[in-house]
Amino acid sequence: MAQTAVNIGGLKLKNPIMTASGTFGYGTEFSDLMDISSLGGIVVKGTTLHHREGNPYPRMAETASGMLNAVGLQNKGVDYFAEHIYPTLEAYNTEFIVNVSGSRIEDYAETARKVAQLDRIHAIELNISCPNVKEGGMAFGVCPPSAAEVVAAVRASYPKTLIVKLSPNVSDICAIARAVEAAGADAVSLINTLLGMAIDVRSRKPILSTITGGLSGPAIKPVALRMVWQVAQAVSVPVIGMGGISCIEDVVAFLLAGATAIQVGYYNFVDPTVSGRLVQELNNYLESEGISDVNELIGGLIC
């Protein structure tokens, strides 16, 4: 059987198939449907320093080629996660990665510090696309200086593998990637959702309570592939790719573009067992192509 293990900084995954934050809960909710221990990693839902209710309903909308969401990081806070969720993860043989979000740099750093105390958690994914309250609502991840500032602060409080999730809603994603790498990121993941909106033409009102939301699904895959390919050439740290992945061909395409691992997001809502199926399909693909190690695919695009 082909080797499927990959390394994300100091984090070793048994295979490159992961699930994306906000689309797979804490993973345990899916244990009756599939063997979640077969996955390389599970990125749990966004976790903040304090309890957050999220945005008012409606906050999800279906589109012809994906979906819009404006959930707003609803969660019970990092202390609740540590006390009530974390103990339930011990039974599973996969890597759990906490997606850390916040509104202030200090909140990011403190949340990361608390997660660092959890021995079973070996990595965090830093979501730098949230509102920066201190700077009038600007997202941290839209310009290199602010992206680097929050990453540096978290790096100072978090000694384990630090993955930084990048926003596609920028003019130069490579500049952002280089900035967070220089500030201490061990890896980058991309892309987060694209900004979009939907309108009810009968009421003449936006469908989402927040008017705009994040677009995910097959519509964003070409954009995601392009950005992964660009960023993989711009940085020396591992890249984790995501955006509309639903089949083994998608997985391989992202690996060839330069991703070391991938995350399945939107399609978890379409088929809750898709990530487990992709683990088996990756093994089948490697065997059929005579590939002895999945790492041979990474960055193997022929131009």
Side-chain angles (χ1 to χ4, degrees):
M1 181 176 291
Q3 296 296 314
T4 57
V6 296
N7 292 308
I8 306 295
L11 182 70
K12 184 174 183 178
L13 306 179
K14 66 177 69 175
N15 61 64
I17 309 299
M18 308 170 70
T19 58
S21 175
T23 69
F24 207 67
Y26 294 107
T28 55
E29 300 93 327
F30 290 74
S31 61
D32 289 340
L33 302 173
M34 57 172 283
D35 178 13
I36 64 171
S37 291
S38 70
L39 301 176
I42 294 170
V43 185
V44 305
K45 66 186 299 183
T47 302
T48 53
L49 184 59
H50 303 296
H51 174 95
R52 285 179 63 114
E53 283 295 332
N55 292 319
Y57 293 91
R59 53 192 190 184
M60 297 184 76
E62 187 176 2
T63 72
S65 51
M67 74 178 206
L68 290 163
N69 95 83
V71 173
L73 301 174
Q74 178 182 347
N75 76 104
K76 294 185 177 182
V78 66
D79 290 335
Y80 180 90
F81 172 81
E83 294 172 15
H84 299 280
I85 304 299
Y86 173 67
T88 69
L89 308 182
E90 294 287 347
Y92 302 99
N93 182 26
T94 187
E95 292 292 339
F96 288 91
I97 299 161
V98 176
N99 180 280
V100 171
S101 300
S103 299
R104 304 185 308 158
I105 289 178
E106 299 89 340
D107 293 350
Y108 276 102
E110 179 62 11
T111 304
R113 186 191 66 79
K114 288 175 176 285
V115 175
Q117 298 171 9
L118 306 177
D119 293 340
R120 181 70 172 77
I121 306 295
H122 302 129
I124 62 172
E125 180 183 66
L126 197 66
N127 180 359
I128 57 173
S129 302
C130 296
N132 178 349
V133 174
K134 286 190 173 181
E135 295 184 20
M138 182 184 71
F140 283 109
V142 299
C143 66
S146 60
E149 184 180 9
V150 68
V151 171
V154 171
R155 178 78 286 172
S157 67
Y158 189 77
K160 302 178 186 179
T161 300
L162 173 57
I163 303 164
V164 179
K165 190 169 187 177
L166 304 183
S167 169
N169 303 302
V170 297
S171 58
D172 186 354
I173 198 167
C174 290
I176 307 292
R178 286 190 290 263
V180 301
E181 178 185 31
D186 296 307
V188 292
S189 60
L190 61 147
I191 59 177
N192 208 327
T193 54
L194 287 160
L195 194 61
M197 68 181 294
I199 295 174
D200 183 330
V201 297
R202 298 192 182 278
S203 67
R204 303 186 185 184
K205 296 180 179 180
I207 293 177
L208 297 176
S209 67
T210 53
I211 303 178
T212 61
L215 175 67
S216 59
I220 75 169
K221 187 177 72 176
V223 176
L225 270 175
R226 183 263 297 177
M227 289 189 168
V228 164
W229 175 70
Q230 288 178 319
V231 169
Q233 297 177 85
V235 298
S236 59
V237 296
V239 173
I240 301 170
M242 71 195 85
I245 295 173
S246 67
C247 60
I248 189 58
E249 289 79 10
D250 295 340
V251 173
V252 174
F254 273 88
L255 296 177
L256 291 174
T260 297
I262 62 92
Q263 293 180 14
V264 181
Y266 163 82
Y267 270 92
N268 290 315
F269 297 102
V270 178
D271 175 6
T273 67
V274 61
S275 53
R277 171 171 55 80
L278 290 176
V279 171
Q280 184 57 54
E281 290 186 3
L282 177 62
N283 287 322
N284 295 342
Y285 174 85
L286 295 174
E287 182 178 356
S288 67
E289 295 295 316
I291 298 171
S292 61
D293 189 331
V294 71
N295 289 276
E296 296 175 26
L297 292 173
I298 298 170
L301 184 66
I302 301 172
C303 296

